[in-house]
Amino acid sequence: MLDNRFHSSLRSTRRTDPPRRDIDVATGILIGLRGYSEREAFDELVRATHRTGAGISAVARSLIAIAGGHRDAGPVYDAALDLWGHALTGRAVYS
């Protein structure tokens, strides 16, 4: 039952909230990269926000930039690169 409410909430949020799109794309990247479920991927993003002290949207945008092969300046990007760069560097998975 909780999973159904979680997925329903995600679907309704995706239609209305542009930052949520970044979170969804980053979640999808982690699903493809790590073979996670949607929940596991989201939980990894949340753990990254705790490690970096940045908001989840900023962490998600940094992961998207890394996966797309884009460089970005700033501490959030650098922290995301430390977390995921080894798995993504040199292979653009999102553009």
Side-chain angles (χ1 to χ4, degrees):
M1 183 68 157
L2 180 60
D3 281 341
N4 289 338
R5 282 184 277 155
F6 173 72
H7 290 291
S8 175
S9 173
L10 282 179
R11 281 191 297 277
S12 65
T13 303
R14 284 179 185 149
R15 289 189 293 265
T16 60
D17 189 7
R20 182 66 209 193
R21 182 181 178 280
D22 293 335
I23 295 167
D24 291 341
V25 170
T27 299
I29 290 167
L30 291 172
I31 289 169
L33 184 66
R34 305 246 198 253
Y36 285 160
S37 69
E38 187 173 355
R39 186 59 182 203
E40 290 168 326
F42 181 79
D43 288 347
E44 182 166 327
L45 282 176
V46 170
R47 285 190 301 275
T49 65
H50 293 298
R51 284 187 213 131
T52 64
I56 194 165
S57 292
V59 171
R61 283 190 304 274
S62 293
L63 175 55
I64 293 166
I66 294 165
H70 305 289
R71 301 249 343 119
D72 192 9
V76 178
Y77 178 87
D78 293 340
L81 193 59
D82 285 342
L83 291 170
W84 298 298
H86 64 283
L88 290 169
T89 302
R91 60 179 231 199
V93 295
Y94 180 78
S95 55

